[in-house]
Amino acid sequence: MSDSRLFTRFHEQLMQLSHSAEFINDHREQKLAALTELCAKALGMDRVSVWQLSHGHDRLNREHLFDRNRRPADAPAPDTAEPPVLYRSDHPRYFQQLEKARLIDASHAQTHSATQSFTANYLIPLGIQSMLDAPIFDGARPSGVICIESLALHHWTLPELSFVVAVADTISLINTQEAWLDSKRKLEYVTRFDTLTGLANLNSLRDRMGYLISKIRRRKTGRFALLWLDLDRLKTINDGLGPQVGDAVIAEVGRRLSDLKLPGKDLLARIGGDEFALIVDHGPLLDALDELVNRIRQEIEPPLKIHGQHLSLSASLGICEYPDDGHDAESLLRSAEAAMYHAKQRGLGQTCRFDSSIQTTARSRFAMERELRQAILNEALEVHYQPIYSSDVRTPASAEALVGAEALVGAEAPVSAEALVRWEHPDRGLLTPIEFLEVARGAGLMYELGSCVLRLVCRHLQQARARQAKLPVISVNLASEQVLNPKLPDDIASICQEFGVCPSVLHFEVTEDAIQGDSKTLRTTLNRIVAAGSELAIDDFGTGYSSLARLKSLPFSKIKIDRSFIMDIPDDEDDCAITLSILGLARGLGLSVVAEGVETLAHEQWLRAQHCEFLQGYRYSKPLPFEAFLERFILNHATAIRT
Ligand code: C2E
Ligand code: CA
Ligand code: CA
């Protein structure tokens, strides 16, 4: 058969196997068995094996062997001469080749420089003449090797070489998929459970209420209560005794609440810093509620001893019921929270049941909506800027250590800055996004808010240019309401044009959950933004459910790792593992990575060591108003460089 026909046949066979649903859904062991068998049969070879390289690259462990001459009945293997482990110290040349070669083509295996060391103990006893080995790479690192062995002398042909490389790549793909699934399982845990207490989190609570509500609707009978429990004075504990003590208190309360036996007790969740929620699922409740509250208080109020301190605790409790106080999970959460605030206003350790007189938060919500709409219309919002540094330059934090008070002298300019919206409320002072974005969302104002922020940013870019101050790239957050609206690219273009701003100085951040739905419009919108010259980053990465295939198919060039993963680095092994797997994944997909929430030297050192490209966080600066940002990082910096 001609080389080109052979080539085609090999690759067709491999494709047929690796694309079959059965193969894709099989376990790793079966996949390797099928691949080695295919390889041996297609090439007419005697033995095909797959080996795994240890982390330190000092050992190879045989993971699978297909031996044509061994009938299944022969098992276990009689080949005592053949070690299932190979050591670098015995075969230094072979290991060196694994790290750099795409193929080790050893037709004369017993004399080839890379495989000669196997001759006495391996090749001669097994009668092997020729070998062809293809290292398996995961990203840039070798992770194993596939070995083809022939008892007869064999000169490898081009189609054979290319086939074996393709099989090695298929195994590398299997490895990547496994690593991805593994990190996804870890991430899934983080998105469903609270890591401090191991209890369910708000997402799970919402889902559970949704499930109960649909069950009750179907059966046309049933009710449940939602209890919102907020620890009193936890802030005082945190401030006075440190956050570790605060965390220990929360963990202990979580334990006590999980141990509590109550009739109808359903899901217990930790839904915020010092806030817990409990679903109690049972018949007519009102009479039983007092009893329930007593039991909870008895459980959590006995003093607890933490780090040698005796602390007494109390909690404010808000209670509401389905269906009386809300018809879906969100409205029930609102009612329970409003009742809890009502209780808190009465003092410590109070309980309040939701009723229609507790409309205060709802009413203030309406007022807030009105004011926010007005603020957007008048462009009365503000934008603050937080610098982002390249991890291989000298940052203000590192310069500070060097030159003391002259913090910025010697520090390089930030590579970019994130624009973060603020709202100076007439009565409540400066509000951060958490305090008003939900209101904007509820009122359907997110698109307008986003356009307003973009206009403010472009105006700042224009002002900076007029003052000959060169701002770095500005990264602007886009809400899902914006990316799902097909007119977004046109609106961005016209705002840029109005202020004479080139779209390439703007980057956009889109959260993982905003890109969940698989719509063609979304894809088109993102592609158009990139075509206009802006870059896109995935924000809060790790908190959602992006699939590998999806990440590949959308035009993102950057990933921002969510602050929650950075917070406990390097002490928390899970967080380190997740961050590492995100970094590896990004590298594999050719994306750069920004770590958010870099607060300490330890964070910075760890991230640098892992080659995370960009760093953002309080360690370098909190978000600052435009003037302050310009002053500190742009104008000042320029003088620092000049002098
Ligand atoms: P984000 O996009 O993840 O922004 C980063 C947030 O983390 C900012 O909070 C920032 O102040 C805070 N942060 C940065 N470094 C550190 C650190 O070292 N430690 C701690 N503890 N926090 C740090 P901010 O400004 O409150 O924004 C919260 C969220 O509001 C943003 O999270 C973003 O999702 C949203 N947001 C802000 N501005 C806009 C906007 O213009 N449009 C839209 N759609 N969303 C926005
Ligand atoms: Ca962001
Ligand atoms: Ca973020």
Side-chain angles (χ1 to χ4, degrees):
M1 204 181 295
S2 74
D3 269 8
S4 65
R5 291 216 21 223
L6 257 181
F7 183 94
T8 315
R9 204 177 70 184
F10 285 159
H11 284 274
E12 272 171 5
Q13 285 179 343
L14 178 60
M15 235 171 75
Q16 233 169 36
L17 174 69
S18 64
H19 287 197
S20 74
E22 199 186 345
F23 180 85
I24 291 169
N25 295 320
D26 236 339
H27 293 295
R28 179 179 178 85
E29 257 172 61
Q30 271 80 42
K31 281 182 181 155
L32 294 184
L35 279 171
T36 48
E37 183 172 350
L38 171 75
C39 228
K41 293 196 168 147
L43 301 174
M45 289 297 140
D46 299 287
R47 294 160 51 92
V48 177
S49 51
V50 176
W51 300 71
Q52 258 179 342
L53 191 59
S54 66
H55 277 301
H57 288 194
D58 57 346
R59 255 176 308 128
L60 275 169
N61 295 294
R62 193 174 69 199
E63 206 189 346
H64 190 85
L65 166 70
F66 176 83
D67 186 343
R68 195 168 60 163
N69 304 317
R70 188 198 299 160
R71 283 162 300 158
D74 287 349
D79 50 355
T80 41
E82 178 194 8
V85 183
L86 299 171
Y87 293 94
R88 177 186 276 270
S89 48
D90 298 332
H91 309 284
R93 283 176 161 246
Y94 180 76
F95 275 76
Q96 264 168 22
Q97 284 299 305
L98 281 189
E99 281 163 355
K100 52 181 193 215
R102 199 67 186 88
L103 270 172
I104 302 172
D105 172 353
S107 295
H108 296 277
Q110 303 186 4
T111 53
H112 188 280
S113 62
T115 53
Q116 207 175 18
S117 57
F118 297 124
T119 307
N121 293 330
Y122 185 95
L123 302 177
I124 293 184
L126 289 166
I128 296 168
Q129 302 287 338
S130 302
M131 288 172 77
L132 174 61
D133 291 9
I136 297 160
F137 286 90
D138 288 347
R141 289 166 62 86
S143 65
V145 60
I146 174 162
C147 306
I148 323 292
E149 295 161 350
S150 167
L151 303 187
L153 185 67
H154 184 82
H155 289 277
W156 305 104
T157 65
L158 218 53
E160 288 170 344
L161 302 182
S162 110
F163 177 58
V164 174
V165 168
V167 175
D169 285 347
T170 307
I171 299 175
S172 142
L173 208 66
I174 295 174
N175 292 345
T176 313
Q177 263 164 1
E178 277 166 5
W180 170 246
L181 281 176
D182 194 47
S183 58
K184 222 170 125 90
R185 271 191 290 272
K186 284 186 193 141
L187 296 177
E188 210 158 83
Y189 183 84
V190 178
T191 55
R192 308 296 307 168
F193 295 94
D194 164 49
T195 35
L196 175 64
T197 58
L199 296 177
N201 66 11
L202 185 58
N203 286 340
S204 312
L205 181 78
R206 283 201 180 98
D207 288 355
R208 181 68 190 162
M209 283 197 284
Y211 168 79
L212 289 174
I213 290 170
S214 59
K215 193 172 83 176
I216 292 171
R217 282 196 189 133
R218 242 184 358 258
R219 296 189 179 162
K220 300 197 171 57
T221 171
R223 52 201 299 125
F224 64 86
L226 175 67
L227 280 78
W228 185 302
L229 185 152
D230 183 292
L231 297 180
D232 297 325
R233 289 177 314 196
L234 194 82
K235 190 169 161 16
T236 325
I237 295 180
N238 268 333
D239 293 348
L241 303 170
Q244 287 91 342
V245 178
D247 280 358
V249 169
I250 290 166
E252 174 59 23
V253 172
R255 244 186 317 274
R256 289 180 175 189
L257 288 171
S258 6
D259 290 348
L260 178 69
K261 305 248 177 324
L262 283 176
K265 181 177 174 191
D266 195 279
L267 186 82
L268 170 67
R270 179 176 176 223
I271 53 175
D274 56 352
E275 292 171 323
F276 295 86
L278 177 66
I279 301 175
V280 182
D281 179 8
H282 72 160
L285 265 173
L286 274 177
D287 306 338
L289 275 180
D290 288 346
E291 173 57 21
L292 200 78
V293 168
N294 285 340
R295 294 281 305 281
I296 292 177
R297 294 205 178 284
Q298 276 165 14
E299 196 65 33
I300 57 171
E301 284 176 0
L304 67 188
K305 193 175 167 197
I306 285 171
H307 298 331
Q309 309 261 1
H310 286 275
L311 300 168
S312 53
L313 277 184
S314 67
S316 304
L317 265 170
I319 303 175
C320 72
E321 266 188 284
Y322 177 82
D324 301 1
D325 308 323
H327 49 270
D328 57 18
E330 283 320 304
S331 55
L332 287 167
L333 281 167
R334 267 204 300 278
S335 301
E337 186 185 20
M340 186 280 293
Y341 276 124
H342 214 71
K344 228 175 214 218
Q345 277 163 9
R346 291 200 216 132
L348 303 179
Q350 298 296 312
T351 303
C352 173
R353 210 194 161 291
F354 184 84
D355 69 49
S356 53
S357 72
I358 307 181
Q359 288 294 329
T360 44
T361 50
R363 222 183 294 131
S364 73
R365 198 170 239 270
F366 283 128
M368 196 150 154
E369 265 180 38
R370 210 182 42 243
E371 291 157 351
L372 185 58
R373 186 169 281 124
Q374 206 54 45
I376 293 172
L377 213 64
N378 301 342
E379 277 181 32
L381 297 177
E382 286 175 31
V383 179
H384 286 194
Y385 295 89
Q386 186 178 34
I388 299 172
Y389 283 88
S390 161
S391 66
D392 46 36
V393 304
R394 201 183 293 162
T395 62
S398 45
E400 200 156 9
L402 283 175
V403 294
E406 299 271 71
L408 280 168
V409 179
E412 301 213 12
V415 283
S416 58
E418 178 171 2
L420 294 156
V421 66
R422 301 287 182 265
W423 178 23
E424 180 74 52
H425 187 275
D427 315 321
R428 302 177 192 214
L430 192 71
L431 300 181
T432 61
I434 352 168
E435 297 166 282
F436 63 85
L437 283 187
E438 276 318 303
V439 178
R441 184 155 277 136
L445 289 170
M446 283 308 274
Y447 192 90
E448 287 69 22
L449 183 140
S451 302
C452 171
V453 168
L454 190 59
R455 293 175 62 86
L456 293 168
V457 167
C458 287
R459 178 165 293 133
H460 284 154
L461 283 161
Q462 190 186 41
Q463 288 170 2
R465 198 178 45 213
R467 290 158 65 177
Q468 263 129 43
K470 190 170 166 7
L471 283 184
V473 164
I474 304 293
S475 211
V476 180
N477 292 284
L478 292 178
S480 60
E481 288 85 346
Q482 290 175 277
V483 289
L484 293 177
N485 189 331
K487 71 183 171 90
L488 179 69
D490 290 334
D491 285 351
I492 293 178
S494 74
I495 294 174
C496 283
Q497 200 170 20
E498 181 185 342
F499 293 94
V501 165
C502 172
S504 65
V505 302
L506 295 174
H507 288 184
F508 293 99
E509 301 182 5
V510 184
T511 56
E512 238 190 313
D513 38 302
I515 54 166
Q516 280 322 301
D518 189 19
S519 82
K520 238 181 102 188
T521 348
L522 170 74
R523 198 174 296 264
T524 315
T525 303
L526 297 180
N527 282 328
R528 287 185 61 203
I529 294 175
V530 170
S534 303
E535 286 185 29
L536 293 179
I538 305 180
D539 206 354
D540 300 346
F541 189 78
T543 57
Y545 292 92
S546 317
S547 76
L548 190 59
R550 246 182 112 48
L551 290 186
K552 266 187 165 162
S553 70
L554 295 172
F556 287 97
S557 55
K558 216 187 303 171
I559 284 180
K560 298 191 81 173
I561 304 182
D562 190 53
R563 183 157 58 83
S564 57
F565 296 111
I566 308 299
M567 213 155 59
D568 297 325
I569 274 173
D571 300 328
D572 186 301
E573 278 176 26
D574 284 346
D575 288 351
C576 289
I578 292 176
T579 304
L580 273 178
S581 81
I582 295 177
L583 282 164
L585 176 77
R587 223 163 273 143
L589 296 175
L591 304 173
S592 57
V593 178
V594 186
E596 299 183 325
V598 181
E599 291 189 355
T600 64
L601 176 64
H603 290 159
E604 178 182 304
Q605 282 173 337
W606 191 87
L607 289 160
R608 277 214 169 110
Q610 311 307 331
H611 306 292
C612 174
E613 289 100 327
F614 301 107
L615 308 171
Q616 173 181 6
Y618 289 176
R619 175 159 170 77
Y620 315 110
S621 170
K622 293 202 168 178
L624 297 174
F626 175 62
E627 277 304 327
F629 176 79
L630 205 62
E631 193 79 7
R632 189 169 147 83
F633 293 106
I634 311 301
L635 302 173
N636 233 357
H637 170 77
T639 41
I641 295 293
R642 253 185 263 126
T643 51

